[in-house]
Amino acid sequence: EVQLVESAGGTVQAGGSLRLSCVASGVTFDDYAIGWFRQAPGKEREGVSCIVIEEGQTFYADSVKGRFTVVSDKSKNTVHLQMNNLKREDTAVYYCAAAYGISWSPAALCSNNRFPEVWGQGALVTVSS
């Protein structure tokens, strides 16, 4: 089964940037869709950005569109989430997650936190004002 290891989060001032990374091991990378989900205190875990590795199709939640970018590096089995112009409401624990299969659309994966089969350990991102 796929294993996912995330880079550490951190603290950044509002308007700043941060990049998260998720490294997958033990699988054929092209067979998976990868999503980024976040969970803020008192809120449900929500999908913010997802990518189908083989096709390169991406999805962004309205709350992050234009500020976040997801990209895969197939040579390193890695997916990055570049977060720009961060806001206080972006403060959350960010998880990468994987779903097996090449038939996923990125929007479908991000629509339901029950769909991913494997999760990373989480990275706390704190945005200060």
Side-chain angles (χ1 to χ4, degrees):
E1 187 178 71
V2 61
Q3 292 182 310
L4 304 176
V5 178
E6 298 181 43
S7 61
T11 300
V12 61
Q13 289 186 312
S17 298
L18 191 68
R19 189 179 76 162
L20 300 178
S21 299
C22 177
V23 180
S25 63
V27 298
T28 300
F29 198 44
D30 269 355
D31 290 345
Y32 286 82
I34 303 294
W36 288 96
F37 294 73
R38 68 185 182 188
Q39 188 163 22
K43 296 185 178 181
E44 298 293 323
R45 190 173 299 184
E46 62 175 347
V48 296
S49 185
C50 290
I51 182 169
V52 178
I53 301 301
E54 184 180 37
E55 301 294 334
Q57 297 170 301
T58 58
F59 167 85
Y60 299 95
D62 287 343
S63 59
V64 306
K65 191 174 297 182
R67 300 188 296 118
F68 290 12
T69 303
V70 64
V71 63
S72 66
D73 183 346
K74 292 184 177 182
S75 69
K76 298 180 179 179
N77 276 21
T78 300
V79 172
H80 303 284
L81 183 67
Q82 178 66 47
M83 302 181 290
N84 297 326
N85 192 24
L86 284 160
K87 305 175 181 179
R88 288 192 65 186
E89 52 263 44
D90 294 319
T91 294
V93 177
Y94 284 74
Y95 300 88
C96 64
Y100 178 79
I102 61 174
S103 62
W104 286 102
S105 72
L109 178 59
C110 269
S111 71
N112 195 324
N113 62 25
R114 294 178 180 265
F115 290 159
E117 299 160 358
V118 179
W119 296 84
Q121 78 274 20
L124 176 61
V125 175
T126 301
V127 183
S128 62
S129 60

